[in-house]
Structure formats: structure tokens, C-alpha cells
Amino acid sequence: MKKIEILPEFSLQGNYELPRLSYAYNALEPIIDAKTMEIHHTKHHQAYIDNLNKALSGHEAASEPLLSLFTKISTLPAAVRNNGGGHYNHTFFWTVMQKPVDNNLPYGVLKDAIDRDLGGFDKFAEAFTQAALTRFGSGWAWLSVDDNGKLFVSSTPNQDNPLMDVAEHRGYPVLGLDVWEHAYYLNYQNRRPDYVKSFMQIINWDEVAGRYESLI
Ligand code: MN
């Protein structure tokens, strides 16, 4: 995990606070409804932050960047893993979405890398969808870059992520999808496949490409 300091969230450290979104709660409609976004941001994300601050209060780990803690998360209390992951994952997630776009596709250097490492966009979409749908219970699907600059698709349970030492496949996330029911239940109920398919229209490929290019 050589490049962890490059990630924009590396400055997250101590006294964690709810980040502002760069768009309105209704900006992602009709893919994600405003009520879901508001509850997800002000209640779920806020709860991870409150519980993370509580878990780190008086703990020596409080003085280290959150992303550094992920590299030794197996040695820290479960509350730091669950709520630290929850805070980072959501902070990250908000940035990789935007208002719906028709024919929303990656381009440029990122597109070339998807072609090279994953066999093209359709293969990527298939693998990402599979990762999201086969994650039993709650978790996340990810597109990440490994230490050699190669893209890979994976999923993690609960609020784990590929930056953590417990991850099966470690790397630096450039795209993530929350597949906890709280992320989609109001609009999609049990239809996780429809949620995952619709998500493709709101991926902020500019943001994903920017993250990718900073890591290679
Ligand atoms: Mn969530």
C-alpha cells in the first residue's frame, strides 16, 4: 500500500465530521431518490462518524490518518473497522456519483486501462455487477488499482474496503458501490439488480478517471 498518501481522503484524521455533498439530495433522481440520499447522508453516514469518534476517543490511533489505520485494521477494535470503514466508504461514495447521464461511459486513459486490464467496458460492467449481486448481505462492490497499477473488481463485506489489511484483494479504490439495503430499499425494495444496473448511469467517470490517473 505504497500510494495511500496520494488519496484525497488521506487528510481525514481525528474529530471526524460529515462532509458536504457537492450536489443536492435530489440530483441523482430518478436513480437514487432524494429521501434515500438525505437519510443515507444525515443519519447513516453521521452515525458512522459519531461512533468512530467515540471508538477513537482516548485511543492512540486517534492521532493517525484514518487511511493509515486501515493498513493495520486487524489489530484495532472492531468499532474502528466498522465505523472507520463506514466513514471513509461513504465519503468516497458521494464523490463518485453525479446526475444521470445517457450512454455514461469511461473515456481516455481510464477506458484504455479498462480495455487492457478487464477486457473492455462490458466485461467490467459484468464483473462489477456480479461483485455487487453476489455479496451476500451487506457490503460494497469496488473497482480498484493494485500496487502495480492494474485495475481489478472485488467486493467486501460490511464496511470493509480494499485499503484494509483484512481485504482479500488489496488496492486503492477508484469506484465503489454501496449495496447495503439502506442505500436502495425505499426505491428498489428487494431489487438489488435494478439498483446496480441503474447505478451505471450516475457514475461520475471524471472523478473515477482523476483518481485512477493520480494512482498510476
Ligand atoms: Mn451506506
Side-chain angles (χ1 to χ4, degrees):
M1 306 300 283
K2 291 172 285 200
K3 303 166 188 158
I4 210 157
E5 286 106 350
I6 300 169
L7 298 177
E9 291 85 9
F10 189 72
S11 59
L12 289 175
Q13 182 185 326
N15 295 317
Y16 297 97
E17 288 175 3
L18 191 66
R20 291 176 61 93
L21 302 190
S22 64
Y23 43 78
Y25 288 133
N26 65 3
L28 309 180
E29 287 189 343
I31 309 299
I32 302 181
D33 62 284
K35 194 74 194 162
T36 296
M37 284 300 293
E38 185 181 350
I39 295 171
H40 203 172
H41 184 237
T42 63
K43 305 288 189 223
H44 292 280
H45 191 171
Q46 184 68 57
Y48 293 120
I49 293 167
D50 293 344
N51 289 325
L52 176 61
N53 286 331
K54 223 176 286 171
L56 286 174
S57 172
H59 197 287
E60 57 182 3
S63 62
E64 271 184 69
L66 183 57
L67 301 197
S68 291
L69 301 183
F70 289 166
T71 66
K72 55 179 177 188
I73 205 74
S74 58
T75 68
L76 294 167
V80 176
R81 175 174 171 179
N82 292 334
N83 296 293
H87 180 38
Y88 169 80
N89 294 349
H90 287 85
T91 301
F92 172 91
F93 184 49
W94 310 133
T95 72
V96 295
M97 296 189 288
Q98 63 173 5
K99 65 175 170 39
V101 174
D102 287 337
N103 301 314
N104 189 29
L105 295 167
Y107 56 88
V109 174
L110 177 62
K111 181 204 176 288
D112 294 344
I114 288 173
D115 289 348
R116 181 192 67 218
D117 297 338
L118 302 172
F121 179 79
D122 290 349
K123 286 263 167 54
F124 151 74
E126 200 182 305
F128 191 79
T129 301
Q130 271 301 104
L133 298 186
T134 57
R135 170 49 57 194
F136 183 77
S138 298
W140 291 74
W142 304 99
L143 173 66
S144 309
V145 180
D146 70 16
D147 265 326
N148 301 315
K150 190 166 187 257
L151 288 168
F152 66 93
V153 169
S154 68
S155 79
T156 54
N158 305 314
Q159 293 296 351
D160 288 358
N161 63 52
L163 296 165
M164 292 181 175
D165 65 352
V166 291
E168 228 169 278
H169 202 163
R170 291 179 74 184
Y172 311 86
V174 295
L175 175 66
L177 175 60
D178 187 344
V179 294
W180 284 57
E181 280 189 349
H182 68 227
Y184 62 86
Y185 205 82
L186 289 184
N187 213 5
Y188 296 90
Q189 290 83 48
N190 60 325
R191 304 188 307 278
R192 192 191 283 190
D194 292 351
Y195 164 68
V196 175
K197 189 172 177 213
S198 303
F199 175 71
M200 294 294 168
Q201 288 175 60
I202 55 168
I203 296 172
N204 183 341
W205 285 114
D206 290 337
E207 175 71 22
V208 178
R211 287 175 177 273
Y212 172 73
E213 286 175 42
S214 76
L215 286 162
I216 53 168

